[in-house]
């Protein structure tokens, strides 16, 4: 079975790491496989998975906003801020009114957030989770700005608060749960987490990696998924320019038969005159093609 280059939307189940969840994709689609953003082991939901030459496109997805549904248990905090950790603090459960107040006053827009110590970020050249597991608790990650677009209270039953959250890249929902709870004079950790959206892609369009019978069919829609990105441009070239492009020559802007490039776009789909995607190119601020990232269908 020939390897396939693809942009896949995978529904990761809870209880497996992001890395191990890719094993069926490596077996049935392409050994060269990577993801555009991990999920914690306890979490489930949408992952963008890239295979073959599509792995070169990872930077396109790095800035996409994300949405989550999180269930937070209030009144307790674990050292990992998830259900796999040990309880390190307890407190009273706040009212719904108090939670609503702190969300609206302190957790919308651009905020300063300190990532969890149990995370993959680097501190002095070491992974934070490695530092945490060594017993060091005196070193904490530096806070950094993230943007919270919206937080909706879905339900609040007993100690369990369910939130729908839309946020920027780099946001840790575990940290958000911790900080909201502490701002409400309580404690909290994420007991369930599901990623429901990445940019224009939604969980309902994802497939299970454990279904090899549908994985390759799903892969066939990769170009259509790329076309959903509002940040990717389009360039139309004639045959006289397309063939040299495949050999490394960059066409001049005057050779573009048509183009539509969003402001700030770094990539463009290159079409032939029959409106078929032939290539994906990296472009500069003047919309010149500076690198032919891949030929559509290449491995």
């Amino acid at each position: 079975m020939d390897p396939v280059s693809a942009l896949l939307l995978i529904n990761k189940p809870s209880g497996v790491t992001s890395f191990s969840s890719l094993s069926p994709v490596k077996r049935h689609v392409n050994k060269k496989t990577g993801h555009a953003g991990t999920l914690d082991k306890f979490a489930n939901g949408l992952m963008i998975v890239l295979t073959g030459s599509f792995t070169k496109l990872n930077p396109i997805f790095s800035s996409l906003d994300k949405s989550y549904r999180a269930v937070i248990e209030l009144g307790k905090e674990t050292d990992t801020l998830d259900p796999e950790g040990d309880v390190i603090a307890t407190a009273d459960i706040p009212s719904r009114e108090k939670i609503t107040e702190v969300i609206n006053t302190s957790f919308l827009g651009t905020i300063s957030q300190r990532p969890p110590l149990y995370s993959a970020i680097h501190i002095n050249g070491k992974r934070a989770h490695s530092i945490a597991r060594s017993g060091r608790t005196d070193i904490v990650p530096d806070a950094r700005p993230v943007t919270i677009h919206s937080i909706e209270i879905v339900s609040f039953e007993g100690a369990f608060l369910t939130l729908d959250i839309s946020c920027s890249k780099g946001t840790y929902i575990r940290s958000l749960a911790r900080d909201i709870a502490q701002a409400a004079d309580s404690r909290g950790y994420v007991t369930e987490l599901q990623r429901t959206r990445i940019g224009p892609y939604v969980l309902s369009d994802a497939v299970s990696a454990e279904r090899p019978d549908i994985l390759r069919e799903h892969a066939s829609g990769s170009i259509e998924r790329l076309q959903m990105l509002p940040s990717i441009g389009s360039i139309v070239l004639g045959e006289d320019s397309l063939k040299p492009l495949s050999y490394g020559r960059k066409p001049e802007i005057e050779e573009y038969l048509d183009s539509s490039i969003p402001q700030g776009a770094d990539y463009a789909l290159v079409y032939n005159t029959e409106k078929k995607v032939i290539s994906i190119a990296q472009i500069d601020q003047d919309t010149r093609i500076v690198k032919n990232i891949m030929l559509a269908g290449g491995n």
Side-chain angles (χ1 to χ4, degrees), residues 51-94:
T51 72
S53 53
F54 272 65
T55 57
K56 300 174 184 177
L57 305 179
N58 198 299
I60 295 178
F61 305 96
S62 63
S63 62
L64 295 178
D65 291 339
K66 300 175 176 66
S67 294
Y68 298 87
R69 173 160 291 190
V71 179
I72 302 167
E73 182 175 6
L74 295 166
K76 297 178 183 178
E77 182 178 319
T78 67
D79 53 1
T80 58
L81 301 176
D82 65 29
E84 298 182 350
D86 297 323
V87 175
I88 58 172
T90 60
D92 293 335
I93 299 171

Side-chain angles (χ1 to χ4, degrees), residues 104-174:
N104 290 337
T105 58
S106 303
F107 293 96
L108 296 176
T110 299
I111 64 172
S112 180
Q113 184 184 78
R114 177 170 54 84
L117 185 54
Y118 284 85
S119 64
I121 66 169
H122 286 87
I123 302 177
N124 298 329
K126 294 184 178 180
R127 295 285 189 183
H129 57 70
S130 297
I131 296 173
R133 292 189 176 96
S134 71
R136 294 286 302 274
T137 57
D138 58 321
I139 298 177
V140 296
D142 292 333
R144 55 189 184 180
V146 297
T147 301
I148 310 300
H149 302 298
S150 65
I151 301 177
E152 178 186 350
I153 297 177
V154 178
S155 64
F156 193 3
E157 300 177 0
F160 295 94
L161 172 69
T162 301
L163 300 177
D164 279 345
I165 301 160
S166 175
C167 55
S168 68
K169 68 169 185 175
T171 302
Y172 280 91
I173 304 303
R174 288 180 291 142

Side-chain angles (χ1 to χ4, degrees), residues 214-227:
I214 62 174
L215 271 179
R216 290 176 74 91
E217 179 184 352
H218 182 68
S220 68
S222 297
I223 294 298
E224 287 79 2
R225 290 183 203 106
L226 275 177
Q227 291 171 324

Side-chain angles (χ1 to χ4, degrees), residues 174-194:
R174 288 180 291 142
S175 292
L176 189 63
R178 174 198 64 202
D179 296 344
I180 289 174
Q182 290 185 3
D185 300 319
S186 186
R187 296 287 183 146
Y189 73 97
V190 179
T191 183
E192 296 177 30
L193 183 64
Q194 181 180 71

Side-chain angles (χ1 to χ4, degrees), residues 10-14 39 43-47 193-196 203 206:
I10 298 297
N11 186 353
K12 185 191 94 68
S14 303
L39 277 170
N44 68 86
L46 180 61
M47 283 180 55
L193 183 64
Q194 181 180 71
R195 187 153 64 199
T196 58
L203 179 57

Side-chain angles (χ1 to χ4, degrees), residues 238-249:
E239 293 300 322
D240 290 344
S241 298
L242 284 172
K243 189 171 182 178
L245 177 65
S246 69
Y247 295 122
R249 187 185 76 83

